Amino acid sequence: MSFVLTTTELTKRYGKLTAVDKLNLQIPKGSVYGILGPNGSGKTTTLGMILGATIPSSGSFSWFDSGDAAHHRTRIGSLLEKPNFLPNLNAVKNLKIIAEVKGCGYSNIDDSLRITGLFDRRNHKFGTYSFGMKQRLAIAGVLLADPEVLVLDEPTNGLDPKGIVEVRDIIKNVASTGKTVILASHLLDEVEKVCTHVAILKKGEMLSENVLDEANKESEIILIEAQNQELLGKLMAEYELNSVRFNGVYWQADVPETFDTAALTTWLVEQNCPPTMIRKVKPKLEEAFMKVIGEGI
Amino acid sequence: MKLLKIEWIKASSSITFWLMLGLYIIIVPLLLHFFNNFYVSINEIEVDVSELAQITAVSFWPFLYYLTSYLIWIPIFLVVMNLSSDRNNRLWKQHVIDGLSRNELFTGKMIYIGFVSLFVTLAVTIFGTGFIFLTDIEYSASMWNVMLLNSIAFFACHFLYMVMGLTLNLIIKNTALTLILFLAWAWIVERVIRFFDKSNVTDFLPINSFNDVIVNPFIELLMLNESQLTQETAIISSIFWLIIFGGYSWYYFTKSDL
């Protein structure tokens, strides 16, 4: 498997605060790689470092197996935080600046504006755009040079529902052509819908790199409730269930898909703790995420 | 070329850019007109300054470049506004993530400053040449050498001032405050420091060094008793300040988070 980006012990400190701590990432070519984490988890700092805007305190990274040369970034379409354009320039002139930086000519400008639905407003000044339109122009800038890799930081921020669907479609379309997409988001739903790989960051550390596998694996979660919840918890642990935890309403545990719910129910009745509710469900990314983050649902 | 095009797309759509350059182009001929009609009263006799100075095509250029160097705040304002626009709209960050190297980012700003310095130098030179041919100033072929040397000094002085403006703007990060502090330093602080320093060491402070790159013809003409660096010393001192200011700007662009 070849990787478009490899980070090695990548670290960023602001004084005593460690924003990103020894991050090791390997992003496979052709993947849609989600970086998931709550606010302040280091997602944007990580993207800032790999895109050259933030200087790492230590560690290294390499794009396409050959260091951080600026010309690599011309092969990457990036949207970091909010769209950065000149308010007194129209969409076309703002995209011309990006085209000059990337050395890709102006021929794709109209197409990028059409894809993002801004063609009719191309001669209007950026300062007159709504936030959603600004975000669309940033995506037009990302697509301009037909990049090999897309790096997107909260790309659906500020978009209306139609815009969100359109951006997700763009990401899926780009991914379907074999290109790599790196997507940072705190929106689980967004990541779940478009990503093939997910890493979770919390306080600058990577907690899990395969959480989507966790969410999609052939295992399920069993949810149980009983009148005597305290006893139920003890009995579930005694039954040797994996990852027994209380989510505030139900006791839950990870079980294989073939798990026999009836056998557990019978045993609990025999232990004088009949369940008032027992249900087996497919874990969603949200549950996997919360489990990794360690906050419980 | 790429960097020049990027700066041109940004600048050519800015009203401030055209306004400031337009203002410069209007003021220079007005200054020449004023110079041509400027009389001083000596023992109640009105004397034409150009006659007093015995202006010829050769001696005209030092006067022209020296007087028009007082307009230096127009291009400085332009450069500070350009930097502030880039910084406030986070364009440096965008340029880097789009693929510009940090060194190119720094070079782009130096090219912009060089372009503005070149523009004002050319404007003054072209108007000055026109002035010589439209008036009865005695023409001589050797004026071109004098013009060339003085125009280089004029260009260098503007470039140095603007690099200092760039550096202050990077440190202060506020347009109005940068201009106020820069003006205050140039017009008040540095002069006060030099006033109290009798050793003349403070002649090497940046503004005085930059100013003395352009020879002040009035010192000789009016026999003023004013401490001034020789042009050679001013150039050496200015190179030192250029390394300091340019070095800080380079460090900022290449080594700091954007």
Side-chain angles (χ1 to χ4, degrees):
Chain A
M1 184 184 289
S2 64
F3 299 99
V4 292
L5 172 71
T6 305
T7 72
T8 309
E9 306 275 297
L10 196 61
T11 301
K12 180 65 183 178
R13 289 185 209 92
Y14 296 101
K16 288 180 179 174
L17 176 78
T18 303
V20 176
D21 193 15
K22 294 177 182 170
L23 186 66
N24 292 303
L25 285 177
Q26 282 191 312
I27 298 188
K29 192 177 177 187
S31 64
V32 181
Y33 196 100
I35 299 176
L36 200 55
N39 292 332
S41 58
K43 303 186 295 292
T44 301
T45 308
T46 302
L47 296 190
M49 285 192 284
I50 61 174
L51 292 171
T54 304
I55 308 285
S57 304
S58 62
S60 63
F61 63 92
S62 67
W63 283 104
F64 310 109
D65 294 327
S66 55
D68 169 41
H71 75 268
H72 285 327
R73 294 199 294 275
T74 61
R75 298 159 65 188
I76 301 165
S78 312
L79 167 57
L80 191 59
E81 292 180 284
K82 66 188 185 80
N84 303 315
F85 292 107
L86 279 176
N88 60 317
L89 298 191
N90 64 32
V92 174
K93 284 189 175 173
N94 270 306
L95 291 182
K96 278 183 177 177
I97 293 174
I98 295 179
E100 287 295 339
V101 173
K102 292 193 172 288
C104 65
Y106 300 160
S107 57
N108 282 343
I109 288 177
D110 284 355
D111 283 346
S112 297
L113 288 168
R114 279 195 188 94
I115 290 168
T116 50
L118 284 176
F119 188 73
D120 293 340
R121 293 286 302 268
R122 67 191 181 282
N123 293 320
H124 291 216
K125 288 183 176 176
F126 177 72
T128 65
Y129 284 9
S130 67
F131 187 80
M133 290 169 74
K134 289 176 179 175
Q135 195 77 353
R136 284 165 188 264
L137 186 61
I139 291 166
V142 166
L143 300 173
L144 190 62
D146 192 21
E148 291 170 49
V149 180
L150 265 60
V151 180
L152 306 168
D153 184 16
E154 311 281 4
T156 56
N157 243 0
L159 295 178
D160 55 25
K162 184 170 168 279
I164 291 171
V165 172
E166 284 169 2
V167 168
R168 284 178 185 167
D169 285 345
I170 290 170
I171 295 170
K172 283 177 182 170
N173 287 341
V174 169
S176 69
T177 61
K179 292 176 180 175
T180 310
V181 181
I182 302 169
L183 173 73
S185 180
H186 64 274
L187 302 176
L188 298 159
D189 178 53
E190 183 166 281
V191 170
E192 194 169 34
K193 284 197 164 101
V194 297
C195 293
T196 57
H197 297 67
V198 178
I200 294 181
L201 296 186
K202 186 186 177 188
K203 293 180 181 173
E205 288 181 61
M206 187 160 75
L207 300 181
S208 171
E209 202 183 357
N210 299 307
V211 72
L212 208 60
D213 294 343
E214 180 81 10
N216 294 333
K217 71 183 182 186
E218 298 299 303
S219 71
E220 297 187 345
I221 292 175
I222 190 163
L223 301 170
I224 316 176
E225 184 187 37
Q227 282 191 336
N228 189 343
Q229 294 278 58
E230 196 179 332
L231 175 62
L232 177 62
K234 284 177 188 167
L235 291 172
M236 284 179 72
E238 199 177 308
Y239 201 73
E240 295 185 347
L241 292 166
N242 287 329
S243 306
V244 175
R245 57 203 181 268
F246 187 64
N247 71 12
V249 180
Y250 307 116
W251 281 99
Q252 63 183 66
D254 296 340
V255 292
E257 205 174 23
T258 53
F259 182 77
D260 187 351
T261 311
L264 175 63
T265 308
T266 307
W267 184 75
L268 287 172
V269 171
E270 286 169 7
Q271 303 303 314
N272 291 323
C273 186
T276 52
M277 195 283 297
I278 185 162
R279 187 152 58 100
K280 211 165 53 161
V281 294
K282 273 273 185 199
K284 294 171 72 177
L285 180 61
E286 183 176 331
E287 282 149 359
F289 173 75
M290 297 310 278
K291 186 177 151 192
V292 171
I293 286 287
E295 292 174 1
I297 297 173
Chain B
M1 199 61 196
K2 172 175 84 173
L3 301 173
L4 195 60
K5 274 176 103 173
I6 291 167
E7 292 300 329
W8 175 248
I9 294 169
K10 289 193 277 187
S12 62
S13 301
S14 159
I15 293 170
T16 315
F17 179 78
W18 294 112
L19 211 62
M20 289 292 117
L21 293 189
L23 191 65
Y24 200 88
I25 286 172
I26 290 167
I27 291 178
V28 172
L30 286 176
L31 206 66
L32 283 166
H33 178 73
F34 174 75
F35 181 73
N36 200 33
N37 296 281
F38 188 54
Y39 293 85
V40 289
S41 181
I42 300 174
N43 295 331
E44 297 181 358
I45 302 166
E46 293 282 302
V47 180
D48 185 346
V49 165
S50 58
E51 280 180 23
L52 179 72
Q54 294 179 314
I55 293 289
T56 63
V58 172
S59 61
F60 165 74
W61 291 108
F63 280 100
L64 176 69
Y65 285 119
Y66 178 76
L67 287 173
T68 49
S69 70
Y70 280 94
L71 301 177
I72 203 163
W73 295 100
I74 294 175
I76 286 173
F77 180 79
L78 196 60
V79 165
V80 170
M81 289 297 289
N82 168 278
L83 289 168
S84 296
S85 168
D86 276 12
R87 195 191 48 247
N88 294 341
N89 294 299
R90 308 176 87 179
L91 282 200
W92 296 335
K93 184 177 194 171
Q94 190 63 42
H95 290 341
V96 166
I97 68 175
D98 283 337
L100 217 58
S101 74
R102 300 289 194 113
N103 280 322
E104 283 178 317
L105 205 58
F106 171 73
T107 310
K109 285 301 143 201
M110 289 295 126
I111 286 174
Y112 182 79
I113 288 172
F115 172 81
V116 174
S117 303
L118 186 66
F119 176 86
V120 295
T121 307
L122 284 176
V124 169
T125 306
I126 290 166
F127 281 119
T129 307
F131 182 80
I132 287 172
F133 287 111
L134 291 173
T135 58
D136 51 1
I137 289 177
E138 192 185 330
Y139 170 79
S140 99
S142 59
M143 78 165 195
W144 300 115
N145 282 338
V146 179
M147 183 208 79
L148 186 66
L149 290 173
N150 281 275
S151 65
I152 291 169
F154 184 82
F155 173 88
C157 178
H158 281 70
F159 189 83
L160 291 160
Y161 259 91
M162 283 187 259
V163 171
M164 185 173 172
L166 164 76
T167 310
L168 290 178
N169 194 242
L170 292 177
I171 294 168
I172 297 165
K173 298 181 175 29
N174 178 290
T175 314
L177 205 57
T178 299
L179 289 168
I180 290 167
L181 290 178
F182 197 5
L183 280 165
W185 176 267
W187 286 353
I188 303 166
V189 180
E190 194 171 307
R191 286 178 188 193
V192 169
I193 293 170
R194 289 182 61 220
F195 177 77
F196 285 108
D197 173 40
K198 303 300 176 195
S199 69
N200 292 342
V201 171
T202 50
D203 284 356
F204 294 97
L205 284 170
I207 296 297
N208 193 57
S209 302
F210 301 164
N211 287 342
D212 288 351
V213 169
I214 297 176
V215 175
N216 179 353
F218 287 100
I219 288 181
E220 194 185 335
L221 175 69
L222 304 174
M223 289 178 286
L224 298 173
N225 184 24
E226 196 172 296
S227 165
Q228 196 187 22
L229 297 173
T230 63
Q231 194 178 36
E232 291 76 16
T233 316
I235 289 169
I236 293 167
S237 177
S238 295
I239 289 171
F240 168 79
W241 288 111
L242 180 65
I243 292 168
I244 298 290
F245 293 131
Y248 176 84
S249 302
W250 175 83
Y251 182 84
Y252 181 92
F253 279 115
T254 56
K255 305 290 178 195
S256 65
D257 294 339
L258 297 172

